[in-house]
Amino acid sequence: GLKIAAMITSTLLCIIALIGLVNGLLTWWGRYLNINDPPLTLELIVGYICYPIAFLLGVSRDGDLLKVGKLIGTKLVTVRSRFPHTTIFSSNQLQNEFVAYDALQHHAEYKDLSDRSRLIVTYALCGFANIGSLGNQIGVLSQIAPGRADDVSRVAFSAMVTGAISTFTSATVAGLLITNEKQYFSTPT
């Protein structure tokens, strides 16, 4: 158990460092190219890549597509975010779908999402199809079955893509079946 826990910790640390490096280089390059608002990050790039996914999920076209694409990109790629509400994470921490849910609830950019888009993205964000989980899957399964490490590494990415497609399918079905979205959202008091 300790060996597996150490593998999970080291894998997450390596993935966090790699994505932090990529975000730092992209932000630096974006400043050089005068791309400052919003800053050029992996989240923004994957958000634009996920723009068609948001369209296919049935998200409202009234300015919600890029916002939902960015949230899906945040879920798929572990990104930097501040957690002002919690004492556990005191500095910049790297998480996954929890960052996307936190942004959906607390960031001003997402306050004007339509109820339908909010419902669809809530379903689309659940699940563990992200790069951090991919690293954990490879690390843990390689420790459990060392002789099958090559097989695990070969199918891990397709398992992540399949998991993402599964949650996107659930979001699409929810968008098709639920017609009164307001009943599922309570207004904060």
Side-chain angles (χ1 to χ4, degrees):
L2 289 175
K3 192 174 181 181
I4 291 173
M7 177 60 69
I8 290 172
T9 304
S10 62
T11 302
L12 282 177
L13 185 62
C14 290
I15 290 170
I16 288 168
L18 178 64
I19 292 177
L21 173 70
V22 169
N23 273 341
L25 290 173
L26 284 173
T27 303
W28 174 77
W29 193 47
R31 286 185 190 144
Y32 178 74
L33 295 174
N34 208 14
I35 304 172
N36 295 321
D37 191 29
L40 183 62
T41 59
L42 202 53
E43 173 191 16
L44 183 67
I45 293 170
V46 176
Y48 277 110
I49 292 170
C50 293
Y51 191 93
I53 293 172
F55 174 77
L56 293 174
L57 290 177
V59 172
S60 172
R61 296 181 195 137
D62 298 331
D64 290 352
L65 286 172
L66 181 60
K67 293 175 186 176
V68 171
K70 284 173 65 176
L71 286 170
I72 293 171
T74 300
K75 176 215 186 277
L76 294 176
V77 178
T78 311
V79 294
R80 235 177 247 280
S81 179
R82 290 198 182 269
F83 286 90
H85 325 305
T86 168
T87 57
I88 296 172
F89 302 104
S90 58
S91 62
N92 277 346
Q93 296 292 323
L94 298 168
Q95 294 294 321
N96 41 41
E97 64 273 352
F98 302 115
V99 173
Y101 278 124
D102 183 60
L104 179 63
Q105 289 295 340
H106 299 105
H107 290 188
E109 178 182 4
Y110 303 109
K111 293 291 182 195
D112 62 343
L113 276 177
S114 69
D115 291 333
R116 178 176 170 74
S117 298
R118 187 172 295 275
L119 176 84
I120 290 172
V121 78
T122 300
Y123 275 93
L125 294 179
C126 60
F128 297 105
N130 56 55
I131 293 176
S133 296
L134 177 72
N136 283 335
Q137 174 189 10
I138 292 170
V140 169
L141 292 178
S142 296
Q143 288 297 316
I144 292 173
R148 305 287 309 260
D150 292 338
D151 296 334
V152 168
S153 298
R154 190 173 45 250
V155 299
F157 184 74
S158 62
M160 183 185 82
V161 170
T162 304
I165 290 172
S166 172
T167 58
F168 296 155
T169 303
S170 298
T172 304
V173 170
L176 285 171
L177 296 179
I178 299 175
T179 57
N180 184 10
E181 295 89 4
K182 288 211 182 276
Q183 70 181 356
Y184 296 103
F185 298 110
S186 62
T187 56
T189 56

